[in-house]
Amino acid sequence: MADQAFVTLATNDRYAKGAMVLGKSLRNHKTSKKLVVLIGPHVSELSRAVLQTLYDEVRLVDVMDSGDTAHLAMMQRPDLGVTFTKLHCWTLTHYTKCVFMDADTMAVANIDELFDREELSAAPDPGWPDCFNSGVFVFSPSNETYGKLLQYCTEHGSFDGGDQGVLNGYFSDWATADIRKHLPFIYNMSSIAIYTYLPAFKQYGANAKVVHFLGKTKPWSYAYDPNQRRVQGNVQEASSHPGYLLEWWSLYCSCVLPLKQ
Ligand code: UDP
Ligand code: MN
């Protein structure tokens, strides 16, 4: 449907690489939805040009420049910069429903069925399952909700310093109100599960539809040798995301790099 979209965010060229792979992964799995990427002013011209070829809409969000309530909120909470930028997705009111996905996620199957869910649907966070993980969530753009979120942010801040703390504070009944708003973990499978619950990963991991490279080290932080098809660097860390890291790099090399030439 034309009025539904996947949305991601990249404030710099590193996260833009993630957004490129994410966009390509959604296209490869033949999504029928629009693709939107929110970018910050620090994203280079080259990255913007590549994103233009993969996304239907590349939208510049400059919270510092906006001269509106977001700017005011930002002045009061400078610590929450990227968070305010992410909340901007609620202003995409030319869509009725959207699915936000972090730039460090990758679709490994078609996930258009997520649009059957309502705001705010998300999967449990592996670290604290009564909180949802804000790397993948279903929402309904609305200027009213956007205003309320900014207000919440300014008044209460974020208990974890990021968007996940704000969103869990605002949508605080997620854990108990409606089980249909709990997305199965396979829609936001973080590789953390591989070492926190290996038997479950062995049992269910093959069903994963979205992989989330949550944490400090992102796929683009590693060096990759395209000839040997091997990821270099901290091998122990890399081995906790077995094939997915290679899949991310192989998409990057085969589908994204050629666009940069
Ligand atoms: N992000 C960004 N620039 C930054 C940090 C974060 O654009 O400098 C966006 C990006 O979409 C990223 C999301 O915010 O995926 C959340 O951050 P991250 O994925 O690093 O957090 P984690 O999932 O590891 O908690
Ligand atoms: Mn993430």
Side-chain angles (χ1 to χ4, degrees):
M1 265 165 49
D3 63 345
Q4 300 186 333
F6 286 103
V7 181
T8 190
L9 163 69
T11 62
N12 56 45
D13 278 358
R14 277 165 286 126
Y15 280 93
K17 286 184 181 175
M20 290 166 196
V21 170
L22 170 63
K24 191 66 201 171
S25 73
L26 289 165
R27 295 263 186 238
N28 283 353
H29 294 288
K30 306 207 178 336
T31 181
S32 64
K33 312 299 175 184
K34 296 280 183 195
L35 302 188
V36 179
V37 58
L38 307 176
I39 58 163
H42 301 300
V43 174
S44 69
E45 284 304 324
L46 176 61
S47 294
R48 289 179 199 209
V50 174
L51 287 169
Q52 294 280 4
T53 67
L54 294 165
Y55 281 79
D56 296 293
E57 200 181 331
V58 179
R59 180 182 276 237
L60 178 67
V61 279
D62 191 351
V63 173
M64 291 309 290
D65 221 36
S66 60
D68 61 5
T69 41
H71 184 215
L72 285 176
M74 174 83 184
M75 298 304 274
Q76 288 175 59
R77 302 296 310 226
D79 51 317
L80 297 177
V82 175
T83 299
F84 283 117
T85 315
K86 189 159 174 180
L87 296 182
H88 237 88
C89 66
W90 261 273
T91 68
L92 297 168
T93 51
H94 48 304
Y95 301 105
T96 53
K97 198 186 279 181
C98 294
V99 173
F100 183 91
M101 298 180 76
D102 268 7
D104 62 343
T105 61
M106 175 177 75
V108 295
N110 182 290
I111 49 169
D112 286 359
E113 69 270 18
L114 284 178
F115 289 84
D116 297 340
R117 308 269 179 160
E118 301 302 327
E119 177 174 284
L120 186 288
S121 293
D125 185 80
W128 194 268
D130 282 347
C131 287
F132 59 84
N133 182 278
S134 61
V136 176
F137 61 87
V138 182
F139 71 101
S140 300
S142 145
N143 286 320
E144 191 190 339
T145 310
Y146 177 60
K148 288 183 181 166
L149 278 164
L150 290 182
Q151 195 184 347
Y152 183 90
C153 225
T154 318
E155 285 171 10
H156 305 274
S158 165
F159 71 79
D160 67 0
D163 58 279
Q164 183 159 312
V166 172
L167 291 172
N168 273 278
Y170 185 82
F171 295 101
S172 61
D173 67 353
W174 172 84
T176 51
D178 183 354
I179 193 67
R180 286 169 299 186
K181 294 184 177 177
H182 287 228
L183 297 181
F185 191 63
I186 54 166
Y187 289 101
N188 186 351
M189 214 252 341
S190 41
S191 23
I192 285 177
I194 297 166
Y195 52 88
T196 53
Y197 198 178
L198 183 63
F201 177 75
K202 285 186 174 159
Q203 180 75 2
Y204 304 116
N207 302 334
K209 291 185 184 232
V210 176
V211 177
H212 186 180
F213 298 96
L214 179 156
K216 208 170 99 246
T217 317
K218 302 302 185 194
W220 53 88
S221 323
Y222 296 95
Y224 179 73
D225 178 348
N227 296 321
Q228 294 195 47
R229 301 196 72 237
R230 279 231 310 255
V231 173
Q232 291 155 340
N234 187 337
V235 179
Q236 209 175 7
E237 213 176 301
S239 66
S240 71
H241 328 273
Y244 300 121
L245 194 55
L246 279 179
E247 194 169 333
W248 188 96
W249 270 104
S250 114
L251 261 185
Y252 184 77
C253 291
S254 63
C255 304
V256 174
L257 273 185
L259 300 172
K260 292 195 169 190
Q261 261 120 52

